[in-house]
Amino acid sequence: MAKNNLTAILYGINDIRLEQTPIEEPNEGEVLLEMSCVGICGSDVHYLVAGRIGDFIVKEPMIIGHEASGTVVKLGKNVTNLKVGDRVAIEPGVSCRMCSFCKEGRYNLCPDMIFCATPPVHGNLRKYYKHAADFCFKLPDHMSMEEGALLEPLSCGVHACKRANVGIGSKVLILGAGPIGLVTLLVAKAMGASKIVITDLVQERLDMAKRLGADATMLIRKDATEKDNIKKVYELFDDQPDKTIDASGAQSSIRLAILATKSGGVAVLVGMGAPEVQIPLIDALVREVDIRGIFRYANDYKDALDLVASGKINVKPLITHNFKIEETKKAFEAAMTPECKAIKVMIHC
């Protein structure tokens, strides 16, 4: 095996370095992977520019990356679900499997979750990386490694749509046409939504949403009032959305999610912004609008894989930029530069 284990390490704000690190031996129940593709997530960028997300603070050097795929090169003891040579998508969060949340199937809420590139846990943007075998999903031959890496954000969209109870005939409003908003659009469409409207501040992202199958798009104007935006939403639906999914996290977007949702409907909040925001709570209460949060995903990776493998969802158009691992700094610059108009930046290890 090659000894080259080039690794992307975040040392602090705007300080990411490429260094050699030891290739780890897989423990019992783990596999060693030769990494293939790692996508840059908004959270990766946030750690780079701010050094933290909420209470998750980068206090010491941390290997970055969590949207990933790779090839099994070595098996730990008692691994039976995979073999050397298998190409896999990597679900980056490994739960304890023992607590009540894990046993109830809501392992994303496990208090002992070990999640790639969430301080202080190291991520997988490196040449070789070991991971729990039961959180690796074998890819069919016709699926690419890039598609495998994109199962991570796609699983967020799957989880959001499940939490919103999206189904046949649903009228879905999606606020924010970034990567998570766009994958949520793809999933809502595959789940049978009859009409999907998506909003954003950037026209190019709305153009992409239209290409991916949005029925209508809405450019949020900075001079528009809240009432203006609600009225426009109703006009685009010729009705009111019964499911709204906020993929922004901005206070104005969260407020719109609640106010624009049909009475008795569901508003799912995916985007994470300020720790406290002002929302029209009484409006939600008297109209019985359910407000639900999501945190990552649970039992959604296989569903995401099946949606891509069956051809019901095509995630390839989301990849706008490709870089080699040696070009990691350039890759992050592209992800952070608005002029690059990046949606998903993919790093090839």
Side-chain angles (χ1 to χ4, degrees):
M1 188 184 296
K3 293 185 178 180
N4 175 16
N5 194 30
L6 196 62
T7 302
I9 305 174
L10 179 63
Y11 274 84
I13 293 176
N14 295 323
D15 185 6
I16 193 166
R17 309 176 196 175
L18 289 170
E19 298 179 358
Q20 292 291 342
T21 60
I23 297 175
E24 300 172 314
E25 283 293 315
N27 297 319
E28 183 175 357
E30 295 180 333
V31 290
L32 179 66
L33 302 164
E34 183 176 22
M35 298 302 291
S36 179
C37 295
V38 181
I40 295 180
C41 173
S43 65
D44 296 322
V45 172
H46 214 74
Y47 283 126
L48 179 61
V49 300
R52 66 185 296 166
I53 296 177
D55 294 332
F56 297 110
I57 305 168
V58 181
K59 296 179 179 178
E60 52 190 48
M62 178 185 78
I63 299 170
I64 203 80
H66 65 271
E67 300 180 359
S69 61
T71 302
V72 177
V73 292
K74 195 170 187 179
L75 303 178
K77 189 178 178 184
N78 294 328
V79 172
T80 57
N81 64 313
L82 296 169
K83 63 182 185 300
V84 171
D86 281 348
R87 301 155 61 252
V88 300
I90 303 162
E91 182 171 351
V94 178
S95 60
C96 77
R97 309 174 182 82
M98 300 294 289
C99 70
S100 61
F101 292 110
C102 288
K103 289 182 177 179
E104 290 166 7
R106 302 188 72 182
Y107 61 85
N108 56 320
L109 304 179
C110 173
D112 296 318
M113 173 68 76
I114 298 171
F115 199 93
C116 283
T118 298
V121 180
H122 287 305
N124 51 30
L125 182 44
R126 36 183 150 168
K127 292 274 191 179
Y128 292 92
Y129 164 74
K130 68 174 183 178
H131 197 72
D134 57 326
F135 283 88
C136 292
F137 293 79
K138 185 177 177 180
L139 299 176
D141 292 341
H142 68 279
M143 267 183 71
S144 68
M145 288 299 215
E146 290 84 354
E147 290 171 305
L150 284 172
L151 293 188
E152 200 282 335
L154 185 62
S155 293
C156 292
V158 171
H159 196 56
C161 287
K162 286 180 181 179
R163 290 280 284 161
N165 295 328
V166 173
I168 296 171
S170 294
K171 294 178 180 178
V172 183
L173 172 64
I174 299 171
L175 304 172
I180 297 300
L182 293 174
V183 294
T184 302
L185 159 66
L186 291 170
V187 176
K189 197 168 180 66
M191 284 186 167
S194 62
K195 189 159 190 176
I196 304 170
V197 175
I198 190 164
T199 73
D200 204 90
L201 296 165
V202 181
Q203 185 59 49
E204 287 84 3
R205 292 196 165 188
L206 294 177
D207 294 340
M208 171 62 81
K210 196 71 176 171
R211 291 196 293 272
L212 293 175
D215 296 291
T217 62
M218 175 177 158
L219 183 66
I220 300 291
R221 294 182 10 250
K222 293 182 180 179
D223 61 343
T225 66
E226 196 166 72
K227 287 184 178 179
D228 290 338
N229 288 331
I230 295 168
K231 182 182 178 184
K232 181 66 174 175
V233 167
Y234 291 173
E235 288 173 355
L236 289 171
F237 277 99
D238 194 26
D239 195 358
Q240 299 174 16
D242 53 355
K243 322 286 185 187
T244 299
I245 299 172
D246 173 56
S248 160
Q251 177 174 287
S252 58
S253 190
I254 294 170
R255 290 180 60 85
L256 182 58
I258 295 168
L259 293 167
T261 301
K262 186 176 183 178
S263 296
V266 182
V268 174
L269 308 181
V270 183
M272 300 181 80
E276 293 187 17
V277 295
Q278 286 188 316
I279 63 169
L281 190 57
I282 298 301
D283 178 89
L285 299 183
V286 300
R287 298 192 303 109
E288 293 197 356
V289 173
D290 290 354
I291 302 171
R292 300 177 184 173
I294 81 155
F295 187 55
R296 297 170 178 156
Y297 34 73
N299 302 303
D300 299 306
Y301 243 75
K302 186 179 183 303
D303 291 337
L305 192 156
D306 289 345
L307 285 168
V308 175
S310 66
K312 289 185 175 68
I313 282 181
N314 179 15
V315 291
K316 289 179 181 177
L318 297 173
I319 303 171
T320 54
H321 294 71
N322 291 276
F323 293 90
K324 296 177 182 177
I325 190 172
E326 292 82 3
E327 302 172 305
T328 292
K329 289 183 181 180
K330 287 183 180 179
F332 272 88
E333 286 170 9
M336 293 187 295
T337 307
E339 290 75 20
C340 288
K341 298 176 182 177
I343 293 177
K344 182 56 64 179
V345 176
M346 193 66 67
I347 297 174
H348 299 262
C349 301

